[in-house]
Amino acid sequence: MSDKTNFIPTKYQLQTVATGRIFSDEGWTLDDKLCDKPSMVRPVYEKKQLTIREGKDLGLYRYADWLPIKTMLQNPSEPITYKSEGLAKKLDLNNLYITFNGWWPERGARMTTCSFKEMEAYSVCARLGEELKDKVLVVASAGNTARAFAKVCSDNGIKLLLCVPQDNIKALWFDAPLNDCVKLITTESGSDYFDAINLSNVVCELGGYLPEGGAKNIARRDGMSTTMMSATTFIGRIPDFYFQAVGSGTGAIAAWEANLRFIGDGRFGTNKARLMVSQNKPFVPMYDAWRADSRPMLPYDADQARKDAAEICAPVLSNRKPPYSLAGGLYDALKDTNGDILAVSNDEANAAKALFEETEGIDIYHAAAVATASLQQAVAMGTVKADDVVMLNITGGGESRFLAEHKIFNLKPIHIFKIGFTKDEVKQVLSAM
């Protein structure tokens, strides 16, 4: 890869959103230990203006100035942005820009997992320093994130343990057998993403394992922010609106943070794109909290949450404990950008999925269809006007085409844990790996 051997780690410090304190990253810092309330920490990059790197096969590392990375990994991909014609005409929008993450070679999109979760994985794994290489990275996922991390870690020889609900492992397909450095454990059928998170937390209490960190990992958020970097630099200005379906809201938080950096850059405008995020009914805990104007999440019975999660067409949007309430979380991002949360039914999502393929020529994930349906809602309500500059983040697409064109291999779990698992059981299973 161009510039890989001569890459100089990106220079930055960390800043606590709640207090403004600036301090140094110790290598895998997820929280400010001197802050007494829940808060995101953000990188403050030395380079205030983004220079897009030129070179063959750089992928998302073209945006390395604003990625907290120590190296560049092999086989990176990147989001691509283009101005819509078909969907834009259908919605009577003059400035609809689609940021596509997935498999669409004619457009230059070559994410072999077909999901923007690759942007998280290529950034997070490039943050790993030599002092952490002997540890096993632990990632909890509802599906797409696991597939992305498995691909990136397998390609680059990084030890990885995935924790995924058993009902979601159909998402763990690949176009080649994986390196043995990647292992999978699951929680039993009927469990959900939150159960997988609990399993990963227990694993990380054991020696030798490194929690990936989820939304609190600056590299995860800034990797996802490459969608906003792609759109803003392609358009030449910060969009007026940003549309995305959310499970945790991390991608929208990342877009907001990138937006703030672009304001600081000075060349792309001073506006804040209105974050228009969406959830899939009936699993809508953030929508309910937002409609109640509540920073704290509202009570949500665990059994009801599992039932609701099982009913939605986009199961990747089923996070029961999202980074919504903490300082610098989704609640703050929505307030700061005059944003909103919309709710989309399965029928609306399925109709939007068909519409996108008909008008743009490529299949998309149900989560991306939820975002597309929410854009339809906003246009119908008059929130989005014909001349507004709109970014639609299609977080996954091209899977049907990719699966038809490639031989597929599936990752099998080494153990399936019942929901009432114990730490001793987890330790015993992992010690036998």
Side-chain angles (χ1 to χ4, degrees):
M1 179 191 295
S2 175
D3 292 338
K4 182 174 186 292
T5 55
N6 298 320
F7 179 72
I8 299 173
T10 306
K11 293 182 179 180
Y12 63 92
Q13 290 184 293
L14 298 179
Q15 184 171 35
T16 307
V17 175
T19 64
R21 187 175 89 91
I22 294 178
F23 60 105
S24 297
D25 184 5
E26 296 177 359
W28 203 253
T29 301
L30 301 176
D31 294 287
D32 179 358
K33 292 180 173 56
L34 299 185
C35 184
D36 61 1
K37 63 180 181 179
S39 176
M40 292 289 195
V41 295
R42 294 176 183 159
V44 178
Y45 291 104
E46 182 178 87
K47 292 189 176 180
K48 302 305 179 188
Q49 288 197 329
L50 176 66
T51 300
I52 298 178
R53 296 175 182 236
E54 301 296 334
K56 184 180 179 183
D57 299 328
L58 282 174
L60 82 164
Y61 300 128
R62 300 196 309 132
Y63 307 109
D65 285 356
W66 289 356
L67 295 174
I69 57 176
K70 297 180 175 68
T71 187
M72 294 182 180
L73 303 181
Q74 297 297 325
N75 307 321
S77 52
E78 65 177 309
I80 62 98
T81 299
Y82 68 95
K83 189 173 185 180
S84 169
E85 295 181 3
L87 183 61
K89 182 177 180 180
K90 190 76 174 181
L91 298 181
D92 292 323
L93 295 176
N94 298 322
N95 298 295
L96 173 60
Y97 294 86
I98 292 171
T99 299
F100 186 86
N101 301 266
W103 181 256
W104 199 357
E106 294 83 356
R107 289 280 188 187
R110 295 184 172 274
M111 296 182 188
T112 60
T113 68
C114 303
S115 169
F116 88 141
K117 299 298 185 178
E118 278 190 36
M119 300 303 93
E120 300 178 17
Y122 278 115
S123 182
V124 167
C125 294
R127 188 188 179 195
L128 288 165
E130 288 298 324
E131 73 280 4
L132 299 174
K133 289 296 176 66
D134 290 335
K135 290 186 177 291
V136 179
L137 187 64
V138 180
V139 173
S141 169
N144 288 346
T145 299
R147 186 166 71 251
F149 273 88
K151 176 247 186 327
V152 172
C153 290
S154 178
D155 285 355
N156 290 275
I158 297 168
K159 290 182 284 188
L160 174 70
L161 179 65
L162 298 170
C163 302
V164 178
Q166 179 67 19
D167 293 337
N168 294 40
I169 65 169
K170 60 183 178 293
L172 298 181
W173 54 261
F174 305 91
D175 63 338
L178 295 183
N179 187 309
D180 286 341
C181 63
V182 176
K183 307 290 185 186
L184 168 67
I185 56 178
T186 66
T187 50
E188 66 180 320
S189 181
S191 64
D192 68 359
Y193 179 34
F194 186 58
D195 297 310
I197 291 173
N198 281 340
L199 178 59
S200 72
N201 290 340
V202 172
V203 170
C204 291
E205 293 175 5
L206 307 175
Y209 292 91
L210 180 69
E212 181 270 329
K216 288 191 172 185
N217 191 321
I218 56 172
R220 176 180 277 219
R221 301 201 311 276
D222 287 0
M224 297 170 89
S225 78
T226 56
T227 57
M228 179 61 90
M229 290 190 243
S230 170
T232 299
T233 54
F234 179 86
I235 299 167
R237 55 157 289 190
I238 298 163
D240 296 318
F241 288 89
Y242 171 95
F243 281 82
Q244 186 198 320
V246 294
S248 69
T250 307
I253 297 166
W256 172 48
E257 292 175 327
N259 191 154
L260 297 177
R261 291 188 190 110
F262 275 121
I263 292 173
D265 180 301
R267 297 172 295 170
F268 298 91
T270 59
N271 65 296
K272 294 174 183 176
R274 293 184 64 183
L275 298 181
M276 304 294 287
V277 301
S278 46
Q279 294 209 277
N280 190 182
K281 294 188 289 190
F283 190 94
V284 290
M286 288 189 287
Y287 171 85
D288 288 340
W290 181 251
R291 284 286 169 265
D293 195 21
S294 173
R295 177 184 286 273
M297 296 287 289
L298 305 181
Y300 199 2
D301 177 77
D303 290 337
Q304 184 63 48
R306 292 188 184 101
K307 179 178 180 295
D308 291 345
E311 292 182 15
I312 62 177
C313 64
V316 295
L317 304 181
S318 59
N319 188 337
R320 267 193 276 153
K321 299 290 183 180
Y324 176 82
S325 307
L326 78 170
L330 186 62
Y331 181 85
D332 283 345
L334 292 170
K335 286 291 186 182
D336 189 51
T337 63
N338 191 29
D340 201 1
I341 304 183
L342 304 175
V344 171
S345 69
N346 286 348
D347 287 345
E348 289 172 318
N350 286 327
K353 188 175 189 296
L355 176 65
F356 191 96
E357 186 165 4
E358 174 193 337
T359 56
E360 295 296 329
I362 194 73
D363 63 283
I364 59 174
Y365 281 160
H366 276 101
V370 168
T372 303
S374 73
L375 173 58
Q376 290 178 279
Q377 289 182 10
V379 171
M381 291 185 296
T383 304
V384 173
K385 305 293 194 301
D387 290 329
D388 287 332
V389 177
V390 179
M391 173 191 170
L392 173 60
N393 188 359
I394 295 296
T395 50
E399 180 178 304
S400 295
R401 175 179 171 178
F402 188 88
L403 294 179
E405 295 174 349
H406 295 81
K407 182 178 179 180
I408 297 302
F409 302 82
N410 295 98
L411 181 62
K412 304 296 183 183
I414 61 173
H415 191 81
I416 301 171
F417 289 92
K418 294 192 177 299
I419 292 177
F421 61 82
T422 66
K423 184 176 180 179
D424 286 342
E425 181 187 359
V426 174
K427 184 175 182 180
Q428 183 178 2
V429 169
L430 296 186
S431 64
M433 278 175 46

